[in-house]
Amino acid sequence: MSNTLFDKVWDSHVVRKIEGGPDVFFIDRHFIHEVTSPVAFLGLKTRGLKVLYPERTFATADHNTPTINQHLPVEDSLSANQLKALEDNSNEYGISHWGLGHQKNGIVHVVGPENGITFPGATIVCGDSHTSTHGAFGAIAFGIGTSEVEMVLSTQCIMQPKPKKMRININGTLGKAVTPKDVALFIISKLTTSGATGYFVEYAGDVFENMTMEGRMTVCNLSIEMGARGGMIAPDETTFAYLKGKPLSLKGDKWDEAVANWKTLKTDEGATFDKELTFNASDIEPMITYGTNPGMGMGISKHIPNAEAVEGGVATYKKSLEYMGYGENDSMIGKKVDYVFLGSCTNGRIEDFRAFASIIKGKKKADNITAWLVPGSHEVEALIKEEGILDIITEAGFVLRQPGCSACLAMNDDKVPAGKYAVSTSNRNFEGRQGPGSRTLLASPLVAAAAAVTGVVTDPRELL
Amino acid sequence: MAYDKFNILTSTAVPLPLENVDTDQIIPARFLKATERKGFGDNLFRDWRYNGDNSPKESFVLNNPIYSGKILVGGKNFGSGSSREHAAWAVYDYGFRCVVSSFFADIFRNNCLNVGVLPVQVSPEFAEQIFEEIYKDPNTEIEVNLSEQTITIKSTGVQESFEINSYKKENMLNGFDDIDYLQNIKGDIETFANGLLM
């Protein structure tokens, strides 16, 4: 029988099927962070339950950590309290904990893969919707709520109905300055933010095959933004080469055995999907968003669509443009920018800093721009220094900050003020996402860099 | 966490006919810093509900005394975005027991079911009728019957049935949650885990 990659991984993790209900679904790897786990631990305590497999859960602090002066006590008492709760709970239940200041600390979806915790064919969850990132390795990975965090801690399982299957094929060659972020924003602009709700997506075609693991992570990370629970890419030699020798990857014969097994993880010829979509790589240009959800994106050279041309409610669309201070038919090129944010689980990896550096090298930060460059982890930070990127950044007048989620969701002090515009490499442009009243333009690290040195929205193709 | 049993809910409803209401609007990230589950209802729709100086925004529906009730009727694609269960807690803690929409985001729907808020997905036409009736008469009552899986606009008698899987339905009717179920099959889970390579 022909099976999809998704079927193979899903079906091999079903402990029990409930008639007319969800599957009892086994979780191989569980990540926790300070924001969505405290109430789950409280639940365990109230019920008197233990953590069933503490070695399958990994804790890292990221959501509300400061990105400067991490050696000092955290000033915000509520944030400090959550960080302390994560540490105390991890210690009490025997869970490995990479807290603030730990050399392995960083954004959960950056440190998981770079330490080899993520692996092909795994089932991975975290109380964070961007857990879909790990699908880049051929894993089924998705975000869960706090009640489910409690389920995984106490039983290593959650109750999940099996989603429907969608495949998105993109073949061809990507144009100049078109990055994995642009590919993802392009797909979301076509599907809208609810176009893949109820589905799990497999990305296929040579565009994804030719991507690095960092690029694949960016694409899978954004699966949730079109409503999909997650997205995945079949593991291949690129995947194995990335994972080989990572601190927690298997070693020796066990590694060889695992790779042999992972090579079977691909969609069989003749397997079917509930929905299949195909796009051409040559239709994608550097993207930018102009509205208040990630589906409101377009090629950077295009004009903002008329309300009548958009699917969905006209009132909602107009409210969105009004919030952004934009009009129908506006061109985005030349629009004023106040802040630039490079970072997040979407674009906080070494490749993203290389891309940013490729544009700003030899130029200067524009005077009107406040820039936050936030690496996804200490390991990314170390590579930035090792590869000489820090020198390029410093010479151009930028400052490198310390790892964390930072301005992506603005739980710490990295908040964009009301009314200001930020070109951001993160994942959501919702109203107030980067601070109350903030206005977000989602884009790639190249577009962010172009804005950072010119002070306005600029097509990066002109600077390369 | 245990919640009240749900069977038949008859209530007036609060209309919020916007599309793509995301979880950052339902509860902004800066209010996720608690280590206990309490007080989230106060910050439900915080930035739509209050000005920067914490004075209420009169134009927002939750500040309009004409509309009240235990049912929130939202536009299409309700609850998109983050996995924060705090969004479902905020909805519950504010006093809503049911959210009606023509389309729900996946994780939010799951979270609702886990905390005792019933997500009722209706046809776009039916959602439109509810909005119309509420705007005509804010005292319009909606009846949600979980056993029968029906939703009825009392004034017009117009009814639609809705889907919910039988396992979750049973849970909500009895106020059970998934942990109760999972605890009872721990032996199966351990046997399964012992057979895994990694």
Side-chain angles (χ1 to χ4, degrees), chain A residues 71 78 110 181 183 226 379 411 429:
Chain A
H71 61 290
L78 291 173
V110 177
K181 177 67 163 285
V183 173
M226 50 186 176
E379 188 167 317
M411 275 193 80
N429 50 351

Side-chain angles (χ1 to χ4, degrees), chain B residues 161-187:
Chain B
S161 56
F162 62 87
E163 295 284 321
I164 178 169
N165 77 53
S166 54
Y167 165 83
K168 282 289 182 191
K169 177 176 166 179
E170 215 43 45
N171 269 2
M172 287 209 73
L173 287 170
N174 295 298
F176 294 158
D177 66 17
D178 289 349
I179 294 187
D180 300 324
Y181 181 93
L182 289 168
Q183 284 299 326
N184 285 328
I185 62 160
K186 231 169 181 172

Side-chain angles (χ1 to χ4, degrees), chain A residues 34 72 176 191 230 232 241 314 388:
Chain A
E34 74 275 25
L72 298 177
K176 185 177 168 187
L191 271 83
M232 64 201 304
V314 170

Side-chain angles (χ1 to χ4, degrees), chain B residues 86-156:
Chain B
H86 312 65
W89 297 340
V91 168
Y92 186 97
D93 293 352
Y94 182 86
F96 292 117
R97 295 301 315 277
C98 173
V99 182
V100 179
S101 169
S102 62
F103 197 86
F104 285 96
D106 213 22
I107 304 181
F108 179 77
R109 179 209 293 264
N110 245 341
N111 286 340
C112 282
L113 287 166
N114 282 334
V115 306
V117 174
L118 181 67
V120 172
Q121 186 161 324
V122 297
S123 68
E125 297 73 29
F126 192 81
E128 212 42 58
Q129 283 186 44
I130 298 179
F131 287 131
E132 267 174 39
E133 291 303 319
I134 300 174
Y135 285 129
K136 224 186 287 169
D137 177 7
N139 296 318
T140 300
E141 285 194 319
I142 311 288
E143 182 190 278
V144 178
N145 185 325
L146 179 57
S147 313
E148 301 292 323
Q149 295 180 223
T150 55
I151 176 167
T152 312
I153 304 172
K154 296 287 270 186
S155 55
T156 61

Side-chain angles (χ1 to χ4, degrees), chain A residues 96-112:
Chain A
S96 120
H97 171 245
W98 297 341
L100 193 60
H102 192 287
Q103 59 162 353
K104 288 194 180 291
N105 176 255
I107 304 175
V108 54
H109 311 308
V110 177
V111 299

Side-chain angles (χ1 to χ4, degrees), chain A residues 12-16 18-22 24 26 28-29 35-36 38-39 42 47 49-50 52-53 56 64 76 78-79 81-82 85 119 126-129 143-148 150-151 154-161 192-194 197-198 224-225 227 229 248 250 257-258 261-262 292-293 311-313 315-316 319 409-412 415 428 430-433 435-437, chain B residues 1-3 16-25 27-38 40 47-48 52 57 60 75-86 89 103-116 121 164-169 171 176-198:
Chain A
S12 64
H13 286 83
V14 175
V15 175
R16 180 189 280 200
I18 298 171
E19 207 56 48
V24 178
F26 189 86
D28 292 315
R29 295 288 180 266
V35 175
T36 56
V39 173
L42 214 56
R47 295 177 199 241
L49 297 172
K50 290 192 165 44
L52 184 59
Y53 296 115
R56 291 183 181 274
N64 65 25
D76 175 354
L78 291 173
S79 296
N81 199 24
Q82 280 194 329
F119 63 91
C126 173
D128 185 283
S129 59
I144 56 174
T146 296
S147 295
E148 291 166 310
E150 186 182 338
M151 290 173 214
S154 61
T155 69
Q156 207 60 39
C157 286
I158 49 172
M159 316 285 280
Q160 284 290 307
T192 78
T193 52
S194 58
T197 302
I224 180 72
E225 305 311 334
R229 204 64 187 277
L248 294 170
L250 292 170
E257 191 188 336
N261 182 20
W262 295 341
T292 54
N293 71 58
E311 235 179 276
T316 303
K319 178 177 183 290
L409 80 169
M411 275 193 80
N412 67 358
K415 289 179 172 62
R428 291 193 173 127
F430 297 151
E431 279 184 34
R433 170 79 177 183
Chain B
M1 179 155 161
Y3 50 81
L16 185 63
L18 286 171
E19 293 177 21
N20 306 318
V21 171
D22 59 74
T23 52
D24 275 86
Q25 307 319 315
I27 184 137
R30 63 186 189 282
F31 298 110
L32 308 183
K33 294 190 181 184
T35 51
E36 291 173 277
R37 187 192 149 175
K38 59 179 185 199
F40 288 103
D47 292 338
W48 284 351
K57 289 185 182 175
F60 188 60
K76 185 185 163 222
N77 196 26
F78 193 90
S80 58
S82 143
S83 65
R84 61 189 70 162
E85 195 167 297
H86 312 65
W89 297 340
F103 197 86
F104 285 96
D106 213 22
I107 304 181
F108 179 77
R109 179 209 293 264
N110 245 341
N111 286 340
C112 282
L113 287 166
N114 282 334
V115 306
Q121 186 161 324
I164 178 169
N165 77 53
S166 54
Y167 165 83
K168 282 289 182 191
K169 177 176 166 179
N171 269 2
F176 294 158
D177 66 17
D178 289 349
I179 294 187
D180 300 324
Y181 181 93
L182 289 168
Q183 284 299 326
N184 285 328
I185 62 160
K186 231 169 181 172
D188 283 13
I189 295 170
E190 284 169 332
T191 306
F192 182 89
N194 290 336
L196 293 170
L197 187 68
M198 290 180 79

Side-chain angles (χ1 to χ4, degrees), chain A residues 406-430:
Chain A
S406 181
C408 174
L409 80 169
M411 275 193 80
N412 67 358
D413 290 338
D414 307 342
K415 289 179 172 62
V416 175
K420 298 290 183 190
Y421 291 94
V423 173
S424 178
T425 66
S426 55
N427 40 58
R428 291 193 173 127
N429 50 351
F430 297 151

